[in-house]
Amino acid sequence: MSEAWVRVCATSELLPGESKVAWDGDTAIVVFNYDGDFYALEDRCSHEDFDLSSGPFDAEEATIECVLHGSKFDVRDGRALNAPAYAPVPKFPTKVEDNAVWTRDDR
């Protein structure tokens, strides 16, 4: 667990409908701008160890799709929306401070 916040990028570098990967130690975290709000999930499909950030982020539906088997996850809370994934993806806190987006692995 990390107590320190990790700077992802300037808010101007992560526009609505975009995502960006940041690292907190060994944990890859994908951060999404969904309609002006920022959400962060572990960048790993819960069905199989594969990068979620490789798949498409649907900014209208607030979902990310794993390109390996097609599972979709809600970027707002990490819940799995279809098989073959059933377990949620860990969600992490985000904050905006000093015109930047921040996150951390708070497990």
Side-chain angles (χ1 to χ4, degrees):
M1 177 166 109
S2 174
E3 297 296 323
W5 288 87
V6 175
R7 186 181 187 278
V8 178
C9 63
T11 53
S12 62
E13 295 175 38
L14 190 55
L15 301 176
E18 295 181 343
S19 63
K20 193 169 196 79
V21 176
W23 288 86
D24 187 351
D26 292 335
T27 304
I29 301 173
V30 59
V31 180
F32 306 91
N33 182 334
Y34 171 63
D35 203 24
D37 292 319
F38 299 97
Y39 300 93
L41 300 176
E42 185 171 8
D43 189 16
R44 187 177 58 79
C45 180
S46 63
H47 166 248
E48 193 160 320
D49 190 11
F50 197 79
D51 299 342
L52 281 180
S53 60
S54 298
F57 168 37
D58 185 330
E60 291 185 14
E61 298 292 325
T63 60
I64 183 78
E65 180 179 345
C66 179
V67 296
L68 199 58
H69 293 115
S71 289
K72 290 185 180 181
F73 300 88
D74 190 313
V75 302
R76 296 166 292 191
D77 57 17
R79 67 192 156 101
L81 300 174
N82 64 303
Y86 296 100
V89 171
K91 178 182 186 259
F92 300 121
T94 60
K95 69 177 180 176
V96 175
E97 189 174 275
D98 299 325
N99 295 316
V101 181
W102 301 78
T103 190
R104 73 174 185 213
D105 183 348
D106 63 347
R107 292 179 287 182

